Amino acid sequence: MEQGAQRLAVVLALAAGVVTVATGVVLAVSPAGSDIAHFAVCVGLAVPAMVLGLVVARRRPVNVVGPLLVMMGLAPCVVGLLDIATTVAARRPGVLPGASVIAALDWGVWPLWYLPVALLTLYFPDGSLPSRRWRVVVVGMPVLIIALALPQTAGDDGLPNMFAIVLLAAFLSMLVATATALVRRYRRADGVRRAQLTWFVLGGMFLPATLLLCWASYLLLGRADMVLFGLAAFYLAIPAATAIAMLRHRLYDPGRALSATVAYTVVTAGLIGVFAAVSALSGVLAGRDSAVVAAVVTAICVIALAPARDRVQHVVDRRLYPIRGATLTALDALLQKVHSGQSEPEQVEAVLGEALRDPSLRVGYRLPGRDDLVSANGAALLSAADRSVPVRVGDVEIGVLRWTGAGSRELLREVAAACAVLVELVRLRIELAQALREVEVSRNRLQQIGYQERRRLERDLHDGAQQRLVTLGVALRLAQRQLRGGTIDVNGLLDHGVAELGTAVAELRQLAHGLRPSSLDDGLGPALAALTSTLPMSIELDISTGDLADDVVTTAYYVVAEAVANATKHAHAKRIAVSVGQCSDRLRVEVVDDGIGGAAPEAGSGLAGLSDRVAAAGGRLRVESPAGAGTRIEAELPCAS
């Protein structure tokens, strides 16, 4: 049962093959060039519908849309067989049996061109009728075609009698009813179904285009030969649009294509109408066969209708493609409110979600120095969207639109271009907010570090130099009191005091070195050479600087000192490369080791304090330390005089 539609499609395709072979046999009885051309045209019209119908039936084996497409290909084969058989019977009477019956069938079977399309309209896209009452139309249309094929529906002069006219009116009424069913189904459809129905309507737009081509053919050539091209396009467009809708409805934006097609059809119809009116008037005034007048008329038509094209497109968009206009209008309104201070640019995500009818839509912002996307609050964007469109300003990607709804990629690309200014505003606000937060956190850390350093200095002074100086004072006072009595070794006491004084001076120098290394008095290069001279590993120094401010030199020294200390104590590095170079108004400090990596400026770590020190100097610190691949610490410091 699950393969029923697929089997029906194969049976119909085999029937088309049998009809084609029968047509070839009839042609063999009395071949003629016009009949052979007619046969080729019918086969050419049938092949696309049958091939695409078999593909759809294979991919959707429980849906009758595939067999109906194959039936659409069968119709020109049957009509072609009857046309050719009637022509052969008229050219060679008595050759084909039942010539009168064939001629009657040929007259009444032309509605077969429309029957498969009408049934497709009722069953598309899910393979079921809109309601059970539509079964009357499904059964009634084939019955009317059979009734029209009866011999009594045509008189001796070949014109339809009153009975045939009634049947034709009923058939046309059912055709109109199928169109209304399509409109009602479209209004009730969800996003995916609506996209599929739009594809089908887009293919059906070739029917009025064919009528326009017929009109133009009569106007320009005096006969309807050009309608053959429109019919061929119609029989190719309907199967192609149906197959795309069933298998790849997201291939392109069908709403946009439909709106553009309708707009161009309206403009073309207006162009043909203006051309016909002006040609008739010019023919009366200047002569029918004037080539100059024809050229001038054509130019007038183009110039007259060119400005109307955008207006027509706008009107058609409001009716057939309202989601595009609504979205662009909503973005313009939000941008104006942002400029006037009535709204925040962060509302762009909510506005787009509401206008596009897709609450799953998310706007991601790409910040410098980060590979992931963030939301409007600066947090990492977590979205299950399977489709995304970049938002760019020039060649720079500043954000991404992500969605899971039925919106097309083409529409989202247009929306992404329209909301680029709002996305850039939000992105700059996120960067500013993060920078302010980082400054606040860095300031707090610097304050805490200052408190800790002050307490350390107090402790070191109290426990070290201060105690030694107090001891020295006590010893000197004792020496003063005992100097006359001779009961104490004054020389030894003074020697001890001098030793304590030397120790206190050394400790004070060490404390001062912690604030600013005294080796920097000789310059940054000698100071770094002294810093790395005692390390038990290979050190490469590349120092190239000019005259620098003392605070810049001190900061650069501590960057190298902290990086080298980490490489020595934690990274187990065997080789360290230190590079310090000056470029214009920036000093670049880089320390690279071949250790185990994994370093990170976590809160409370030496790297975090170093980052705060560099930031306080107006610079920027970057740490690259993938696990197992060494560490690169790079600092850039402003050094303009």
Side-chain angles (χ1 to χ4, degrees), residues 309-375:
R309 190 265 170 199
D310 292 337
R311 180 60 182 171
V312 171
Q313 184 70 66
H314 180 70
V315 173
V316 172
D317 280 347
R318 286 192 302 175
R319 300 294 300 175
L320 299 181
Y321 200 29
I323 190 172
R324 174 181 177 271
T327 304
L328 298 181
T329 302
L331 287 176
D332 289 339
L334 176 60
L335 189 59
Q336 292 177 4
K337 290 182 179 179
V338 170
H339 286 166
S340 63
Q342 300 177 4
S343 297
E344 301 293 334
E346 287 79 5
Q347 296 177 3
V348 61
E349 181 177 291
V351 169
L352 289 178
E354 181 178 357
L356 294 171
R357 304 168 190 169
D358 183 8
S360 69
L361 186 139
R362 293 292 178 268
V363 180
Y365 304 91
R366 197 171 294 283
L367 303 182
R370 295 187 59 167
D371 296 330
D372 59 340
L373 296 170
V374 300
S375 58

Side-chain angles (χ1 to χ4, degrees), residues 122-402:
L122 290 176
Y123 282 98
F124 183 85
D126 53 9
S128 61
L129 293 172
S131 63
R132 300 184 64 176
R133 61 184 178 180
W134 288 99
R135 293 180 180 178
V136 176
V137 177
V138 174
V139 176
M141 295 184 75
V143 170
L144 290 175
I145 293 176
I146 295 174
L148 280 171
L150 296 177
Q152 63 267 26
T153 58
D156 296 336
D157 54 0
L159 297 176
N161 55 29
M162 186 57 65
F163 177 64
I165 293 176
V166 173
L167 294 178
L168 285 173
F171 184 80
L172 293 176
S173 299
M174 289 187 178
L175 284 178
V176 174
T178 59
T180 60
L182 183 66
V183 173
R184 294 182 61 185
R185 175 170 278 178
Y186 180 84
R187 291 177 177 176
R188 299 175 180 176
D190 57 10
V192 175
R193 289 286 185 265
R194 181 163 291 189
Q196 291 177 317
L197 290 168
T198 304
W199 273 113
F200 186 79
V201 173
L202 180 62
M205 283 300 300
F206 279 85
L207 180 59
T210 302
L211 297 177
L212 282 176
L213 193 61
C214 179
W215 181 19
S217 180
Y218 275 115
L219 181 64
L220 299 176
L221 304 178
R223 54 187 185 274
D225 293 351
M226 292 172 58
V227 76
L228 182 62
F229 298 101
L231 188 61
F234 175 70
Y235 252 70
L236 178 62
I238 286 289
T242 303
I244 292 174
M246 294 296 295
L247 306 178
R248 296 286 301 277
H249 69 276
R250 292 179 177 176
L251 182 64
Y252 187 73
D253 188 350
R256 183 176 183 180
L258 177 62
S259 178
T261 302
V262 172
Y264 277 107
T265 301
V266 172
V267 172
T268 302
L271 179 63
I272 294 175
V274 172
F275 183 81
V278 178
S279 294
L281 181 60
S282 63
V284 173
L285 299 178
R288 184 183 182 94
D289 298 328
S290 175
V292 176
V293 171
V296 172
V297 168
T298 303
I300 292 175
C301 293
V302 174
I303 295 174
L305 291 179
R309 190 265 170 199
D310 292 337
R311 180 60 182 171
V312 171
Q313 184 70 66
H314 180 70
V315 173
V316 172
D317 280 347
R318 286 192 302 175
R319 300 294 300 175
L320 299 181
Y321 200 29
I323 190 172
R324 174 181 177 271
T327 304
L328 298 181
T329 302
L331 287 176
D332 289 339
L334 176 60
L335 189 59
Q336 292 177 4
K337 290 182 179 179
V338 170
H339 286 166
S340 63
Q342 300 177 4
S343 297
E344 301 293 334
E346 287 79 5
Q347 296 177 3
V348 61
E349 181 177 291
V351 169
L352 289 178
E354 181 178 357
L356 294 171
R357 304 168 190 169
D358 183 8
S360 69
L361 186 139
R362 293 292 178 268
V363 180
Y365 304 91
R366 197 171 294 283
L367 303 182
R370 295 187 59 167
D371 296 330
D372 59 340
L373 296 170
V374 300
S375 58
N377 59 7
L381 180 65
L382 301 177
S383 174
D386 57 349
R387 291 176 291 167
S388 62
V389 167
V391 181
R392 290 188 173 91
V393 172
D395 296 331
V396 179
E397 182 178 316
I398 61 172
V400 169
L401 300 184
R402 289 182 174 179

Side-chain angles (χ1 to χ4, degrees), residues 12-13 16-17 43 46-55 69-71 73-74 77:
L12 292 173
V43 173
V47 169
M50 284 193 292
V51 171
L52 293 175
L54 290 172
V55 172
L69 281 178
V70 178
M71 182 187 295
L74 175 62
C77 295

